[in-house]
């Protein structure tokens, strides 16, 4: 992710990310990203995903893997943009910006989802926080 931001997406990395790396010390950065990741994980993985899954189950009356994957897609493409509206509204949109947001968030969502499914919610949360804390500072080095 850091390499993609430093090369392919360098011209569209949001200024807020550069500012956080430049201005905040390591502890402030950890606290800021930990808070954001925790809120995302609680809102999306612990509230939105089960609620959407339940609603789909209630509407269709059928169970199956397709129901789970449809709920994941609806969470990613409907619930996440609604929750992160402030972040998305602050971006200077272009084709490259859209490619960056979809690519990086899809890759991260798959990884955090796999960690959560394989090792539990806490593993997904810690992975989410660790990625922000370790990858964001690389922007200033690359």
């Amino acid at each position: 992710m850091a390499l993609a931001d430093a090369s392919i997406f360098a011209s569209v990395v949001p200024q807020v990310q550069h500012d956080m790396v430049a201005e905040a010390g390591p502890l402030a950065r950890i606290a800021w990203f930990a808070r954001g990741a925790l809120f995302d994980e609680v809102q999306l993985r612990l509230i939105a995903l089960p609620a959407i899954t339940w609603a789909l189950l209630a509407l269709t009356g059928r169970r199956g893997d397709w129901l789970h994957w449809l709920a994941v897609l609806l969470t990613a493409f409907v619930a996440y943009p609604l929750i992160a509206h402030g972040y998305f509204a602050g971006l200077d949109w272009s084709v490259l910006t859209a490619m960056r947001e979809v690519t990086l968030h899809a890759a991260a969502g798959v990884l955090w989802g796999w960690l959560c499914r394989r090792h539990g919610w806490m593993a997904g949360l810690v992975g989410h926080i660790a990625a922000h804390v370790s990858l964001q500072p690389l922007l200033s080095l690359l």
Side-chain angles (χ1 to χ4, degrees):
M1 292 171 128
L3 289 175
D5 272 353
S7 57
I8 300 167
F9 302 125
S11 63
V12 295
V13 173
Q15 188 59 42
V16 68
Q17 291 183 6
H18 289 291
D19 294 345
M20 175 55 73
V21 170
E23 296 172 10
L27 292 178
R29 190 171 48 251
I30 290 169
W32 192 80
F33 283 119
R35 180 190 153 279
L38 176 63
F39 285 1
D40 282 354
E41 293 291 332
V42 167
Q43 291 173 331
L44 295 167
R45 205 166 319 275
L46 295 183
I47 297 172
L49 183 59
I52 291 170
T53 302
W54 177 84
L56 289 171
L57 185 57
L59 288 171
T60 65
R62 296 191 224 164
R63 296 177 184 266
D65 282 345
W66 69 272
L67 185 107
H68 170 72
W69 291 111
L70 181 57
V72 167
L73 290 173
L74 288 171
T75 301
F77 291 108
V78 177
Y80 175 66
L82 289 172
I83 288 170
H85 180 269
Y87 168 75
F88 289 125
L91 296 177
D92 293 326
W93 283 99
S94 67
V95 171
L96 192 59
T97 300
M99 285 176 52
R100 177 188 183 269
E101 295 305 318
V102 169
T103 302
L104 297 183
H105 286 106
V110 168
L111 178 58
W112 311 153
W114 177 82
L115 282 171
C116 183
R117 188 172 178 111
R118 176 91 173 150
H119 300 287
W121 181 75
M122 204 58 163
L125 174 63
V126 170
H128 190 161
I129 293 168
H132 282 296
V133 170
S134 63
L135 294 177
Q136 298 312 134
L138 291 177
L139 286 174
S140 62
L141 300 175
L142 298 173

